[in-house]
């Protein structure tokens, strides 16, 4: 007698995504934002952020489950309490409810993979895996004999990530022997750690608070320290990291269709 | 017998700056960051942020007192605990201590002036005082018969504030009859209030969290709402507001030299 094939449910996929990080956490933003954990899954859409357009695209493509890195309802906790009755919120909620699609946020767990799944995906996309420092893979060492400057690294970022322009502090001709890639918005403490404790010549940040990291680097440069900062935007600094999750799901569930939904950035430079 | 002329001290100036907001507050970031409250003042430098270069310029110009809107030590509370031994922090601290200059932060009080002193200064610089809505001066009504678009307002901002480029969501040709100016980084709740409760066609923000305001406006636009967002940067959205403080001090203390120290932004777009 052949074994009964177990259906793959939303919860099966969630369990698989949590497992590389260890046990499920009590306090996490990584929760099911909509849908039924027992629903069967045949198509998964992976995306950086559940924008209205992204959800619509996933629904139209027949996806049962979305895996998103960032929130759906405009705040880190996806707390809708201040948004009840808001026309934008209500329309997004209606689209989700009417479609019945399940949305799971994969933020905290994927950053706790060893190595950090988002960072690993970014390093792959940027072809920088071999640069990674043993102590911390955010720190990248330029191999001896290879010449890099802030400008050459910036051009590489633009080309590999499809970025039109970035914010810069420091000279583009500054030679770089060690730099750091800090996806997302981990805050000033993490940023300054790369510059000071790892002595990175250049920090590449996703998103900063202007009065924190930006001003620290401005002062450092004005004091004569040979430092530079590139701020490339939150989405561009993490989106390609979700390709790791896409690959992971394809390997784990070969019978399920897994698509990656990328998107334009919310804002353009004019 | 003539009255003895009282010397103007750091504390005299602080009291004068607090008075339009009412009583001194117990919990505020508006504290004396360095210097002696009883020291006599002959020259005041007003600036948006006490950068290393800005402090140096003030010291070299002979200022005894700096009035700054933003922090000195890279966090809102000016808490130096994580920065002890940091070469950038220590060098900045040494410059301040060796010079003996007094630094007072004027942030919370000036925003509590009626009207908000920073907002008023920005409206003056932008020649938008007559646009201000009675209910809230952040809300600006385009007079009947005057045609404005997102693009025309953006060009005005660039020209009046000396901005090279801004981040935009929404069409530049969108007609605007009501818009809102939200200096600094007051957060998503304030931003969405202008868009939803005041039905502003366009929000001009200083600094946003990318996953909050930017994504709300992106979704609104993708749903077909005629909305737009311009993010002009924290410094450019508030710096000219400190001209109000400069004028206020010149009027209150005609015998004291009051200079306004502006600066480039920390980052440039490349």
């Amino acid at each position: 007698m052949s074994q009964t094939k177990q259906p793959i449910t939303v919860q099966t996929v969630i369990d698989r995504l949590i497992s590389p990080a260890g046990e499920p956490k009590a306090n996490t933003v990584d929760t099911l934002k909509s849908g039924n954990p027992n629903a069967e899954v045949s198509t998964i859409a992976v995306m950086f952020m559940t924008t209205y357009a992204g959800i619509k695209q996933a629904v139209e493509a027949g996806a049962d489950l979305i895996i998103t890195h960032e929130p759906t309802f405009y705040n880190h906790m996806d707390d809708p309490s201040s948004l009840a009755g808001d026309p934008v919120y209500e329309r997004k909620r209606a689209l989700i409810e009417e479609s019945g699609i399940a949305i799971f946020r994969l933020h905290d767990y994927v950053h706790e993979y060893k190595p950090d799944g988002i960072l690993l995906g970014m390093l792959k996309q940027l072809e920088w895996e071999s640069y990674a420092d043993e102590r911390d893979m955010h720190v990248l060492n330029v191999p001896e004999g290879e010449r890099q400057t802030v400008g050459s690294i910036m051009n590489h970022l633009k080309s590999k990530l499809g970025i039109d322009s970035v914010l810069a502090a420091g000279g583009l001709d500054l030679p770089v022997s060690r730099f750091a890639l800090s996806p997302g918005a981990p805050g000033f403490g993490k940023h300054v750690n790369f510059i000071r404790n790892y002595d990175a010549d250049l920090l590449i940040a996703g998103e900063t608070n202007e009065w924190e990291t930006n001003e620290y680097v401005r002062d450092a440069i004005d004091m004569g320290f040979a430092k530079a900062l590139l701020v490339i935007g939150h989405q561009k600094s993490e989106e390609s990291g979700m390709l790791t999750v896409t690959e992971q799901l394809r390997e784990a569930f070969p019978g399920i269709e897994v698509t990656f939904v990328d998107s334009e950035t919310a804002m353009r430079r004019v």
Side-chain angles (χ1 to χ4, degrees), chain A:
Chain A
M1 231 177 89
S2 69
Q3 249 188 312
T4 310
K5 207 183 160 192
Q6 290 288 323
I8 293 161
T9 65
V10 168
Q11 192 61 51
T12 318
V13 176
I14 292 175
D15 291 344
R16 180 64 190 77
L17 290 171
I18 291 176
S19 62
E23 291 300 303
K25 300 152 88 73
N27 289 310
T28 175
V29 294
D30 293 11
T31 58
L32 198 60
K33 309 299 176 183
S34 71
N36 181 346
N38 302 317
E40 200 166 335
V41 174
S42 66
T43 305
I44 302 173
V46 177
M47 57 187 74
F48 168 70
M49 184 171 301
T50 32
T51 61
Y52 180 77
I55 298 168
K56 220 169 158 202
Q57 192 180 328
V59 168
E60 282 163 10
D64 325 284
L65 171 61
I66 295 175
I67 307 299
T68 179
H69 187 59
E70 292 296 351
T72 302
F73 295 123
Y74 322 117
N75 65 74
H76 188 52
M77 309 305 291
D78 277 315
D79 174 5
S81 56
S82 72
L83 288 162
D86 178 281
V88 177
Y89 165 71
E90 294 294 354
R91 191 137 161 195
K92 193 167 192 175
R93 200 172 61 91
L95 168 68
I96 294 166
E97 285 181 7
E98 283 160 22
S99 71
I101 200 162
I103 298 178
F104 179 71
R105 183 166 179 207
L106 182 72
H107 180 273
D108 299 347
Y109 292 116
V110 71
H111 281 306
E112 289 187 12
Y113 289 6
K114 301 213 178 317
D116 179 321
I118 296 293
L119 177 65
L120 184 64
M122 293 304 302
L123 294 181
K124 278 185 181 165
Q125 180 73 18
L126 289 160
E127 297 170 7
W128 283 345
E129 281 176 281
S130 66
Y131 286 18
D133 196 291
E134 285 178 4
R135 299 165 294 173
D136 184 331
M137 285 183 76
H138 294 87
V139 179
L140 304 164
N141 298 300
V142 177
E144 261 189 69
E146 187 177 320
R147 186 182 138 76
Q148 293 282 0
T149 62
V150 173
S152 68
I153 291 169
M154 177 191 77
N155 289 334
H156 184 78
L157 284 162
K158 285 182 178 179
S159 133
K160 290 287 177 189
L161 304 180
I163 302 176
D164 286 334
S165 67
V166 302
L167 287 172
L172 296 185
D173 52 358
L174 183 78
V176 175
S177 61
R178 182 179 297 135
F179 61 112
L181 175 65
S182 183
F188 176 73
K190 289 272 174 65
H191 290 157
V192 82
N193 175 53
F194 296 129
I195 299 170
R196 182 181 59 209
N197 300 344
Y198 285 99
D199 199 25
D201 306 313
L202 162 67
L203 170 67
I204 302 160
E207 183 171 4
T208 60
N209 287 328
E210 291 184 26
W211 65 93
E212 296 178 337
T213 308
N214 302 20
E215 294 297 333
Y216 178 89
V217 174
R218 178 217 289 260
D219 278 355
I221 293 165
D222 285 343
M223 288 170 188
F225 292 105
K227 299 290 180 186
L229 171 65
L230 297 175
V231 178
I232 66 173
H234 199 134
Q235 180 178 330
K236 287 295 183 182
S237 80
E238 291 200 307
E239 188 172 40
S240 298
M242 288 299 274
L243 288 165
T244 316
V245 175
T246 310
E247 291 308 316
Q248 178 190 354
L249 290 173
R250 281 177 184 154
E251 279 173 33
F253 306 108
I256 285 183
E257 195 186 326
V258 185
T259 56
F260 178 71
V261 179
D262 64 0
S263 81
E264 298 289 303
T265 54
M267 314 281 297
R268 66 195 187 281
R269 177 68 44 176
V270 286

